[in-house]
Amino acid sequence: MLYKSYLIIISSLLLISCLSTKIQSVKIKEKQYVVISDKENLEWYFGKKMEMFDISSNQLENVEIILRKIINSEKLRPFENYKFQYVCIGLDAKIIFIQAICNDSNFLESKDDKGNLLWEKELSIIADGGNCYWAVKINLNDKSYFDLNINTSS
């Protein structure tokens, strides 16, 4: 009887040990996109007031599918090598303006005077840089894209 008790305790400890090891090895995916919604900043950037909408998880999935198609067809860096800024514009026509910034860009490390990462708060204006920086508009109504602009190298 004592042997069974020891066996149960040892088995339980081994199981707990294995579970805790598995939990520690799980990695959280790095933040790859932000939705920019600062209307004042966007009005300055676009030169006019913009109506905005909240993007759904289904719409986010559609955006990723379209971005991956663009990346493949234009032979850009792999999807995972970019961070994306989304601006959700419009009410009837749902358009997402997207800026892509490669992960090794110094811009991703830039902070404002409060220590906030700039890429998470405001749209970037970057000249040159080649395919490290590009922008596109995606129409969520018909799942098309337009105004693809890939920066050139100086």
PDB file of all heavy atoms in Angstrom, residues 94-113:
ATOM      1  N   LYS A  94     -14.505  50.060 -47.141  1.00  0.00           N
ATOM      2  CA  LYS A  94     -13.533  49.807 -46.072  1.00  0.00           C
ATOM      3  C   LYS A  94     -12.150  49.642 -46.708  1.00  0.00           C
ATOM      4  O   LYS A  94     -11.856  48.636 -47.337  1.00  0.00           O
ATOM      5  CB  LYS A  94     -13.908  48.558 -45.292  1.00  0.00           C
ATOM      6  CG  LYS A  94     -15.310  48.613 -44.700  1.00  0.00           C
ATOM      7  CD  LYS A  94     -15.237  48.596 -43.219  1.00  0.00           C
ATOM      8  CE  LYS A  94     -16.593  48.493 -42.573  1.00  0.00           C
ATOM      9  NZ  LYS A  94     -17.189  49.713 -42.220  1.00  0.00           N
ATOM     10  N   ILE A  95     -11.315  50.659 -46.522  1.00  0.00           N
ATOM     11  CA  ILE A  95      -9.971  50.675 -47.092  1.00  0.00           C
ATOM     12  C   ILE A  95      -8.975  50.644 -45.936  1.00  0.00           C
ATOM     13  O   ILE A  95      -9.130  51.353 -44.951  1.00  0.00           O
ATOM     14  CB  ILE A  95      -9.730  51.959 -47.921  1.00  0.00           C
ATOM     15  CG1 ILE A  95     -10.804  52.132 -48.995  1.00  0.00           C
ATOM     16  CG2 ILE A  95      -8.324  51.964 -48.510  1.00  0.00           C
ATOM     17  CD1 ILE A  95     -10.814  51.094 -50.074  1.00  0.00           C
ATOM     18  N   ILE A  96      -7.954  49.827 -46.082  1.00  0.00           N
ATOM     19  CA  ILE A  96      -6.876  49.809 -45.093  1.00  0.00           C
ATOM     20  C   ILE A  96      -5.623  50.320 -45.791  1.00  0.00           C
ATOM     21  O   ILE A  96      -5.170  49.727 -46.769  1.00  0.00           O
ATOM     22  CB  ILE A  96      -6.621  48.399 -44.551  1.00  0.00           C
ATOM     23  CG1 ILE A  96      -7.899  47.822 -44.025  1.00  0.00           C
ATOM     24  CG2 ILE A  96      -5.506  48.423 -43.521  1.00  0.00           C
ATOM     25  CD1 ILE A  96      -7.873  47.166 -42.731  1.00  0.00           C
ATOM     26  N   PHE A  97      -5.114  51.424 -45.290  1.00  0.00           N
ATOM     27  CA  PHE A  97      -3.832  51.937 -45.752  1.00  0.00           C
ATOM     28  C   PHE A  97      -2.780  51.248 -44.897  1.00  0.00           C
ATOM     29  O   PHE A  97      -2.855  51.272 -43.669  1.00  0.00           O
ATOM     30  CB  PHE A  97      -3.773  53.455 -45.590  1.00  0.00           C
ATOM     31  CG  PHE A  97      -2.426  54.039 -45.908  1.00  0.00           C
ATOM     32  CD1 PHE A  97      -1.993  54.155 -47.217  1.00  0.00           C
ATOM     33  CD2 PHE A  97      -1.586  54.458 -44.891  1.00  0.00           C
ATOM     34  CE1 PHE A  97      -0.748  54.685 -47.508  1.00  0.00           C
ATOM     35  CE2 PHE A  97      -0.340  54.997 -45.164  1.00  0.00           C
ATOM     36  CZ  PHE A  97       0.077  55.105 -46.484  1.00  0.00           C
ATOM     37  N   ILE A  98      -1.794  50.621 -45.533  1.00  0.00           N
ATOM     38  CA  ILE A  98      -0.797  49.840 -44.810  1.00  0.00           C
ATOM     39  C   ILE A  98       0.598  50.313 -45.187  1.00  0.00           C
ATOM     40  O   ILE A  98       0.896  50.478 -46.370  1.00  0.00           O
ATOM     41  CB  ILE A  98      -0.931  48.340 -45.135  1.00  0.00           C
ATOM     42  CG1 ILE A  98      -2.314  47.854 -44.714  1.00  0.00           C
ATOM     43  CG2 ILE A  98       0.180  47.532 -44.463  1.00  0.00           C
ATOM     44  CD1 ILE A  98      -2.654  46.482 -45.198  1.00  0.00           C
ATOM     45  N   GLN A  99       1.412  50.497 -44.180  1.00  0.00           N
ATOM     46  CA  GLN A  99       2.832  50.752 -44.395  1.00  0.00           C
ATOM     47  C   GLN A  99       3.596  49.578 -43.816  1.00  0.00           C
ATOM     48  O   GLN A  99       3.335  49.154 -42.683  1.00  0.00           O
ATOM     49  CB  GLN A  99       3.279  52.051 -43.724  1.00  0.00           C
ATOM     50  CG  GLN A  99       2.710  53.270 -44.395  1.00  0.00           C
ATOM     51  CD  GLN A  99       3.485  54.526 -44.070  1.00  0.00           C
ATOM     52  OE1 GLN A  99       3.826  55.240 -44.993  1.00  0.00           O
ATOM     53  NE2 GLN A  99       3.757  54.824 -42.833  1.00  0.00           N
ATOM     54  N   ALA A 100       4.540  49.071 -44.595  1.00  0.00           N
ATOM     55  CA  ALA A 100       5.388  47.964 -44.159  1.00  0.00           C
ATOM     56  C   ALA A 100       6.787  48.503 -43.870  1.00  0.00           C
ATOM     57  O   ALA A 100       7.318  49.292 -44.648  1.00  0.00           O
ATOM     58  CB  ALA A 100       5.452  46.895 -45.240  1.00  0.00           C
ATOM     59  N   ILE A 101       7.333  48.081 -42.750  1.00  0.00           N
ATOM     60  CA  ILE A 101       8.666  48.518 -42.326  1.00  0.00           C
ATOM     61  C   ILE A 101       9.442  47.260 -41.953  1.00  0.00           C
ATOM     62  O   ILE A 101       8.986  46.467 -41.125  1.00  0.00           O
ATOM     63  CB  ILE A 101       8.571  49.442 -41.088  1.00  0.00           C
ATOM     64  CG1 ILE A 101       7.623  50.602 -41.359  1.00  0.00           C
ATOM     65  CG2 ILE A 101       9.946  49.931 -40.664  1.00  0.00           C
ATOM     66  CD1 ILE A 101       7.148  51.307 -40.107  1.00  0.00           C
ATOM     67  N   CYS A 102      10.620  47.082 -42.544  1.00  0.00           N
ATOM     68  CA  CYS A 102      11.368  45.852 -42.258  1.00  0.00           C
ATOM     69  C   CYS A 102      11.877  45.850 -40.815  1.00  0.00           C
ATOM     70  O   CYS A 102      12.132  46.899 -40.229  1.00  0.00           O
ATOM     71  CB  CYS A 102      12.498  45.637 -43.254  1.00  0.00           C
ATOM     72  SG  CYS A 102      13.755  46.893 -43.243  1.00  0.00           S
ATOM     73  N   ASN A 103      11.991  44.663 -40.275  1.00  0.00           N
ATOM     74  CA  ASN A 103      12.362  44.501 -38.866  1.00  0.00           C
ATOM     75  C   ASN A 103      13.720  45.076 -38.504  1.00  0.00           C
ATOM     76  O   ASN A 103      13.957  45.424 -37.357  1.00  0.00           O
ATOM     77  CB  ASN A 103      12.336  43.018 -38.475  1.00  0.00           C
ATOM     78  CG  ASN A 103      10.926  42.483 -38.396  1.00  0.00           C
ATOM     79  OD1 ASN A 103       9.983  43.226 -38.184  1.00  0.00           O
ATOM     80  ND2 ASN A 103      10.786  41.189 -38.589  1.00  0.00           N
ATOM     81  N   ASP A 104      14.621  45.182 -39.477  1.00  0.00           N
ATOM     82  CA  ASP A 104      15.952  45.702 -39.153  1.00  0.00           C
ATOM     83  C   ASP A 104      16.059  47.217 -39.357  1.00  0.00           C
ATOM     84  O   ASP A 104      17.140  47.780 -39.324  1.00  0.00           O
ATOM     85  CB  ASP A 104      17.045  44.958 -39.923  1.00  0.00           C
ATOM     86  CG  ASP A 104      16.836  44.982 -41.432  1.00  0.00           C
ATOM     87  OD1 ASP A 104      15.795  45.457 -41.897  1.00  0.00           O
ATOM     88  OD2 ASP A 104      17.734  44.501 -42.150  1.00  0.00           O
ATOM     89  N   SER A 105      14.918  47.877 -39.500  1.00  0.00           N
ATOM     90  CA  SER A 105      14.901  49.338 -39.663  1.00  0.00           C
ATOM     91  C   SER A 105      15.166  50.036 -38.329  1.00  0.00           C
ATOM     92  O   SER A 105      14.604  49.664 -37.293  1.00  0.00           O
ATOM     93  CB  SER A 105      13.544  49.783 -40.198  1.00  0.00           C
ATOM     94  OG  SER A 105      13.400  51.177 -40.086  1.00  0.00           O
ATOM     95  N   ASN A 106      15.992  51.071 -38.357  1.00  0.00           N
ATOM     96  CA  ASN A 106      16.236  51.874 -37.153  1.00  0.00           C
ATOM     97  C   ASN A 106      14.979  52.598 -36.693  1.00  0.00           C
ATOM     98  O   ASN A 106      14.839  52.914 -35.516  1.00  0.00           O
ATOM     99  CB  ASN A 106      17.348  52.896 -37.406  1.00  0.00           C
ATOM    100  CG  ASN A 106      18.687  52.222 -37.580  1.00  0.00           C
ATOM    101  OD1 ASN A 106      18.912  51.123 -37.087  1.00  0.00           O
ATOM    102  ND2 ASN A 106      19.586  52.876 -38.293  1.00  0.00           N
ATOM    103  N   PHE A 107      14.051  52.848 -37.615  1.00  0.00           N
ATOM    104  CA  PHE A 107      12.818  53.553 -37.267  1.00  0.00           C
ATOM    105  C   PHE A 107      12.028  52.804 -36.192  1.00  0.00           C
ATOM    106  O   PHE A 107      11.388  53.423 -35.343  1.00  0.00           O
ATOM    107  CB  PHE A 107      11.943  53.766 -38.506  1.00  0.00           C
ATOM    108  CG  PHE A 107      10.634  54.429 -38.200  1.00  0.00           C
ATOM    109  CD1 PHE A 107      10.587  55.781 -37.890  1.00  0.00           C
ATOM    110  CD2 PHE A 107       9.454  53.709 -38.201  1.00  0.00           C
ATOM    111  CE1 PHE A 107       9.380  56.400 -37.581  1.00  0.00           C
ATOM    112  CE2 PHE A 107       8.249  54.313 -37.902  1.00  0.00           C
ATOM    113  CZ  PHE A 107       8.217  55.664 -37.593  1.00  0.00           C
ATOM    114  N   LEU A 108      12.083  51.488 -36.188  1.00  0.00           N
ATOM    115  CA  LEU A 108      11.324  50.698 -35.210  1.00  0.00           C
ATOM    116  C   LEU A 108      11.806  50.921 -33.784  1.00  0.00           C
ATOM    117  O   LEU A 108      11.087  50.641 -32.835  1.00  0.00           O
ATOM    118  CB  LEU A 108      11.380  49.213 -35.558  1.00  0.00           C
ATOM    119  CG  LEU A 108      10.682  48.822 -36.856  1.00  0.00           C
ATOM    120  CD1 LEU A 108      10.904  47.348 -37.147  1.00  0.00           C
ATOM    121  CD2 LEU A 108       9.201  49.146 -36.808  1.00  0.00           C
ATOM    122  N   GLU A 109      13.019  51.425 -33.633  1.00  0.00           N
ATOM    123  CA  GLU A 109      13.577  51.676 -32.301  1.00  0.00           C
ATOM    124  C   GLU A 109      13.373  53.116 -31.839  1.00  0.00           C
ATOM    125  O   GLU A 109      13.616  53.430 -30.679  1.00  0.00           O
ATOM    126  CB  GLU A 109      15.070  51.343 -32.302  1.00  0.00           C
ATOM    127  CG  GLU A 109      15.344  49.888 -32.616  1.00  0.00           C
ATOM    128  CD  GLU A 109      16.821  49.604 -32.839  1.00  0.00           C
ATOM    129  OE1 GLU A 109      17.656  50.468 -32.493  1.00  0.00           O
ATOM    130  OE2 GLU A 109      17.127  48.520 -33.354  1.00  0.00           O
ATOM    131  N   SER A 110      12.938  54.007 -32.741  1.00  0.00           N
ATOM    132  CA  SER A 110      12.764  55.423 -32.400  1.00  0.00           C
ATOM    133  C   SER A 110      11.636  55.599 -31.397  1.00  0.00           C
ATOM    134  O   SER A 110      10.573  54.985 -31.521  1.00  0.00           O
ATOM    135  CB  SER A 110      12.442  56.237 -33.658  1.00  0.00           C
ATOM    136  OG  SER A 110      13.471  56.115 -34.591  1.00  0.00           O
ATOM    137  N   LYS A 111      11.875  56.474 -30.402  1.00  0.00           N
ATOM    138  CA  LYS A 111      10.880  56.719 -29.353  1.00  0.00           C
ATOM    139  C   LYS A 111      10.589  58.209 -29.241  1.00  0.00           C
ATOM    140  O   LYS A 111      11.426  59.041 -29.579  1.00  0.00           O
ATOM    141  CB  LYS A 111      11.395  56.197 -28.008  1.00  0.00           C
ATOM    142  CG  LYS A 111      11.576  54.701 -27.985  1.00  0.00           C
ATOM    143  CD  LYS A 111      12.046  54.208 -26.641  1.00  0.00           C
ATOM    144  CE  LYS A 111      12.204  52.698 -26.667  1.00  0.00           C
ATOM    145  NZ  LYS A 111      12.625  52.175 -25.376  1.00  0.00           N
ATOM    146  N   ASP A 112       9.387  58.521 -28.734  1.00  0.00           N
ATOM    147  CA  ASP A 112       9.061  59.915 -28.472  1.00  0.00           C
ATOM    148  C   ASP A 112       9.604  60.310 -27.097  1.00  0.00           C
ATOM    149  O   ASP A 112      10.250  59.503 -26.420  1.00  0.00           O
ATOM    150  CB  ASP A 112       7.547  60.173 -28.591  1.00  0.00           C
ATOM    151  CG  ASP A 112       6.726  59.418 -27.550  1.00  0.00           C
ATOM    152  OD1 ASP A 112       7.291  58.895 -26.562  1.00  0.00           O
ATOM    153  OD2 ASP A 112       5.488  59.346 -27.709  1.00  0.00           O
ATOM    154  N   ASP A 113       9.336  61.544 -26.666  1.00  0.00           N
ATOM    155  CA  ASP A 113       9.888  62.024 -25.395  1.00  0.00           C
ATOM    156  C   ASP A 113       9.323  61.300 -24.173  1.00  0.00           C
ATOM    157  O   ASP A 113       9.857  61.402 -23.078  1.00  0.00           O
ATOM    158  CB  ASP A 113       9.708  63.542 -25.265  1.00  0.00           C
ATOM    159  CG  ASP A 113       8.261  63.979 -25.401  1.00  0.00           C
ATOM    160  OD1 ASP A 113       7.399  63.144 -25.752  1.00  0.00           O
ATOM    161  OD2 ASP A 113       7.987  65.167 -25.171  1.00  0.00           O
TER     162      ASP A 113
END
